Amino acid sequence: MSESVQNAVGRRAFVVGGAVAAGGAVLAGPLARTASAAAFGWSDDGSQYVVDTGANLVVRISKTTGDLTSLVYRGTEYQGYGGMNSHVESGLGTSTVTIAQSGSTVLVSVAHGTLRHYYAVRSGENNVYLWTYKADASVSATRYIVRVRPGLFLNDEPDSYTYAPTTIEASDVFRKSDGQTRSKHYARLRVADYDHVGWSTGTVGLYLVRSNHEKASGGPFYRSLLRHQSADGGGLYEILYYGENQTEDQRFGLQGPYVLAFTDGGAPSSALYPAALTTPWADGLGISGYVPAGGRGRVAGVGITGRNTAFTYTVSLANAAAQYWGQARASDGWFSVPGMLPGTYTLTVHKGELAVYSTSVTVTAGGTTTLNTLAIPSSNDPGNASAIWRIGDWDGTPRGFKNAELMTYAHPSDVRAASWTGNVVVGSGTETSSFPCYLWKDVNSGIVVHFRLTAAQAAAAHTLRIGVTTAYANGRPQITVNDTWTSAVPSPPAQPSTRSLTVGSYRGNNHTFTYSVPASAWLTDTGAYNTLRISVASGSGTTSFLSAGTSIDAIDLLA
C-alpha cells in the first residue's frame, strides 16, 4: 500500500471546517505546557484523570464514563467534534474508572458491566495504548472512535467525507451536487492492507495503529470503517466487531493493544505495527485476558506448491476464539504467522481471496508448529479447469470487472460509475472489463453474453459456472441459453444479511453456482452467436441498488 494512503498526508485542497492558522488553536492555562516544563505522571482534577507523558502529550479521561475527553499535543487540543468524546462504541455511559501507576506506565481501567477497557500512557511517549476486553454481547459492536476537532487536517481521502447535501441511502450515504457519493464506509482498504490510518499536516501526525485483530471477526479481507471527515470534525476507527456484511460470529476476549499515536508528521514507528508490536512492559499490569509473548506460539510453513504465481497467496488461521493471517512469499510460498494463542485452528490458503486449500493445525504456547510443504490439488483451483471461454479470474474478488475498483469507495449510483448495463461479446478482448462487477434484480438483471461454439462443442452438454463473492437479499444468478433453455432457480448460499454492495464491500462468502446445459440448448450454426442471459432471482430486497444483488468473481463455460 502506498505511503500516501497509509500516512494520510493532506494533499488535496479541502480543509475540514475551514482554514486553520499556523500552529492551530493553542490552549491557555496549565495544559499549554512545553515539553521542557512537563513531568510524567497523573493527577485528579475532580471529574477527570489527567495524564502527562512528560513529552508533548496530555490526556484527560472521564472518571464517570471512561471517555477520552481531551488530547492536547504541543499545546493544541485535538479531541472532540460535535460535543462528543472519544470512546468505545458510541460511549459506554456510567462506568467504574480507576487509575494506577507502575513505574513508567500509567494505566486507566474502565469497567462497564462485563466489558473492560484500558488506556496506558508511557513516560516520554506521545502514544496512548488501548485494549478492550469483551466477555459477551452485552455491548453489541466493538469499536473505538477517536473524534478529532475540525479544521486541523486536510481532507486527503474525500470519499470518506460524510457531509453532502443529499442523503441517498439510510443515514450514512450521501450525494454531492456534482453526482459523486460519500460515506464513512468508503475506505478502499481491507484489514490486511493497512497498519495504521490517520492524518498529517506535514509537521504533526495523528494516527490510529490497528491491533492484530485476533479477537475481531471477518478475516484478513474484511472491509469496514477506517476514518471519516465531515464539516464538524473527523473520526478514526478501530473496528473489532461490526455487523455490516459480517461473515463470522463475534469473538470474545481481549483485543489490543491498538495505539493512538502523535508524530512529527511522519508515519508512526514501525515498532507499533501489529506484526511487530510487543508490550512486555504490559505483562504485569493486570489487564483482563492478557496473554504475554511467552504464552503464544507460531505457525511456519516451508512452502506452498500448486500456486498460480500471477496471484498473491494469503494463509489465514481461525477458530471460534481467534484469527490470524500472513502472506505467503511469492518465490516459494513460505509463510510465518507469529503471536498466536494456543489452540487448534483451521488453516486456509487463499489465492487472492479464494480459499483453495485447508487443513488443521495446533499451536502450543512458546512453540513453533512447522509445516511441510503444502500442496494445493489442481482441482481445488477452479481456474485450472479447461474452459471454452472464461470471463474474469477465479480469485475470490470482482477485480477486473466493470466498476469493481470504484465500488470499494463509492455508491453504485455515483456519477463516476460506468453504465451498469450493456452486453458482452466473448473474444472481443473486453469480456471482463465490460461485464459489470455487480448484478441487481432491479438494475441490470438480464445481462447477455454472446459467444460462438465449434460444431464439436455445440454437439455436447457443458457445465457453466458463475462464481460470486457475496449477495444481498438472497440475490443469485439464474441463466437462460438462446432464449430456449432456462435453468432452475438455485438455492441461495449463506451470505451476510446486511448491506454490502452499496457500502464499499464485496466480501461475503465465496460460492460457485454450476449449471448443466444440455447439448440441445446450443445453436448448431457455428457462425452464429449463442446467447447466455444472466438474471438475478430473489423475492427479497427493495428497489434499485437495494434490490436483490450479487457480486461476480468469474464466469466460464467448461470444455
Side-chain angles (χ1 to χ4, degrees), residues 286-372:
I287 294 172
S288 295
Y290 184 91
V291 179
R296 297 170 176 271
R298 181 171 74 102
V299 171
V302 172
I304 304 172
T305 61
R307 294 173 300 120
N308 181 333
T309 56
F311 296 87
T312 298
Y313 283 73
T314 300
V315 177
S316 68
L317 298 107
N319 60 22
Q323 62 170 9
Y324 307 92
W325 58 83
Q327 188 169 308
R329 191 161 61 192
S331 60
D332 55 8
W334 176 92
F335 62 90
S336 177
V337 183
M340 295 178 60
L341 294 174
T344 298
Y345 294 83
T346 297
L347 180 152
T348 304
V349 178
H350 305 266
K351 171 195 175 187
E353 297 183 18
L354 184 66
V356 292
Y357 178 87
S358 67
T359 189
S360 180
V361 62
T362 298
V363 178
T364 58
T368 296
T369 302
T370 302
L371 304 176
N372 293 324

Side-chain angles (χ1 to χ4, degrees), residues 5 68 74 100 129 147 193 286 320 367 409:
V5 173
L68 195 156
R74 295 179 180 172
Y129 297 83
R147 303 188 188 273
D193 294 332
Y409 60 93

